[in-house]
């Protein structure tokens, strides 16, 4: 009987290559948390502090809590801004949880591994798009209006059909590092993991680096650019230096050229 009651909150969804079983969770409630330097151990995405743009016709958003591995039993508590916390709901043999009909606001989701009692909490901000705003994806989408975000692939048919745009399959990430007085640049694809970006940043800067969204916990090392919607959120990235900032860039001292004296 308890199992039937549980299924009213969760339902299996069609399998997809990365996740063997998913869950649907009805929502309610916010709880502000302070950012710390610990990487999440359970939740890969969304990352703490990630923004999600409303895409559903009813003015809500849908998102998936992607877990680092399959858990024998995982439990989720959803707290939506301005509402009382919802009861914890659990699912067996899950490696992701689908959350649907999430209204605009800043919300907190706490995931607990029932076997170890380990927990992860992430804050997600759901925002409504501005009037006329184009929300890019990795698939071609029709553009309404004349402007699209910089850096997108744009397709303009010659037959008079609507203009379309998408996130490029390969794009250039650019991060300014004040200590080096310069930009770190790296090509990124949808499958590029955060760990690879951090490793290249550390090699370039000379110091261990950890990435996160501003005022949020670090990313899970296995999260990919697609998991984090990194193309659209690239201007919201923050760099932390766990072992101290990188050595400053050496400034070249140019001696003034003196005019040769006449004999």
């Amino acid at each position: 009987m308890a199992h039937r009651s549980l299924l009213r909150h969760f339902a299996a969804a069609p399998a997809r290559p990365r996740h063997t079983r998913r869950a649907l969770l009805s929502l309610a409630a916010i709880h502000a948390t302070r950012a710390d330097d610990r990487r999440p151990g359970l939740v890969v995405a969304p990352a703490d502090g990630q923004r999600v743009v409303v895409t559903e016709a009813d003015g809500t958003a849908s998102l998936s809590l992607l877990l680092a591995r399959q858990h024998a039993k995982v439990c989720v508590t959803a707290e939506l801004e301005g509402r009382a916390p919802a009861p914890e709901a659990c699912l067996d043999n899950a490696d992701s949880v689908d959350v649907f009909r999430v209204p605009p606001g800043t919300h907190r989701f706490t995931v607990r591994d029932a076997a170890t009692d380990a927990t992860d909490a992430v804050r997600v901000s759901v925002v409504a798009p501005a009037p006329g705003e184009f929300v890019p994806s990795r698939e071609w989408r029709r553009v309404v209006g004349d402007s699209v975000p910089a850096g997108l692939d744009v397709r303009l048919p010659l037959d008079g059909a609507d203009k379309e745009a998408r996130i490029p399959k390969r794009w250039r990430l650019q991060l300014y590092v004040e200590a080096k007085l310069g930009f770190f640049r790296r090509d990124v694809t949808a499958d590029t993991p955060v760990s690879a970006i951090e490793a290249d940043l550390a090699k370039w800067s000379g110091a261990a680096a950890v990435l996160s969204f501003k005022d949020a916990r670090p990313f899970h090392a296995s999260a990919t650019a697609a998991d984090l919607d990194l193309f659209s959120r690239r201007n919201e990235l923050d760099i932390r230096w766990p072992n101290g900032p990188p050595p400053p860039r050496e400034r070249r001292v140019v001696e003034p050229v003196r005019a040769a004296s006449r004999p």
Side-chain angles (χ1 to χ4, degrees), residues 18-262:
R18 181 173 176 178
H19 309 289
T20 58
R21 190 176 179 188
R22 306 164 75 187
L24 300 179
L25 175 64
S26 296
L27 295 180
I30 171 162
H31 191 284
T33 60
R34 292 182 59 186
D36 58 42
D37 292 327
R38 295 177 297 112
R39 286 193 190 272
L42 302 178
V43 181
V44 174
D48 187 49
Q50 187 165 338
R51 289 196 308 121
V52 177
V53 178
V54 167
T55 56
E56 305 297 334
D58 62 358
T60 65
S62 297
L63 56 92
S64 291
L65 302 176
L66 306 182
L67 308 181
R69 62 176 179 83
Q70 182 169 314
H71 295 263
K73 185 175 183 179
V74 65
C75 302
V76 179
T77 302
E79 301 172 75
L80 300 189
E81 185 172 2
R83 302 185 189 179
E88 184 180 62
C90 301
L91 182 74
D92 296 331
N93 301 317
D95 61 4
S96 74
V97 179
D98 278 354
V99 188
F100 62 97
R101 301 192 68 183
V102 187
T106 302
H107 315 302
R108 183 176 188 250
F109 300 94
T110 302
V111 177
R112 182 175 65 86
D113 182 345
T116 64
D117 216 32
T119 62
D120 259 352
V122 295
R123 293 168 299 130
V124 179
S125 295
V126 176
V127 297
E133 178 183 357
F134 179 77
V135 180
S137 75
R138 296 192 304 277
E139 305 298 328
W140 290 106
R141 285 186 176 178
R142 183 171 64 92
V143 176
V144 178
D146 297 326
S147 63
V148 296
L152 292 178
D153 286 339
V154 178
R155 184 163 63 185
L156 184 61
L158 299 179
D159 60 1
D162 292 328
K163 179 168 59 177
E164 296 178 317
R166 70 176 182 185
I167 296 173
K169 293 184 177 181
R170 182 178 296 272
W171 52 276
R172 177 63 61 92
L173 175 66
Q174 180 172 280
L175 300 172
Y176 183 73
V177 179
E178 186 173 359
K180 309 302 288 186
L181 300 176
F183 287 92
F184 164 75
R185 297 178 176 90
R186 190 193 196 280
D187 286 347
V188 174
T189 67
D191 297 327
T192 300
V194 163
S195 58
I197 299 175
E198 292 177 342
D200 286 349
L201 176 56
K203 182 178 179 179
W204 175 85
S205 66
V210 174
L211 295 176
S212 71
F213 290 122
K214 289 181 173 62
D215 301 320
R217 290 178 64 189
F219 297 142
H220 194 286
S222 66
T224 66
D227 291 334
L228 304 174
D229 191 18
L230 209 56
F231 179 87
S232 299
R233 309 274 87 86
R234 62 193 186 279
N235 293 329
E236 302 169 20
L237 294 181
D238 191 27
I239 306 173
R240 303 183 191 187
W241 311 102
N243 300 327
R249 178 181 178 182
E250 295 184 2
R251 296 177 181 268
R252 296 180 58 187
V253 178
V254 179
E255 296 291 339
V257 177
R258 297 181 179 179
S261 58
R262 295 182 180 181

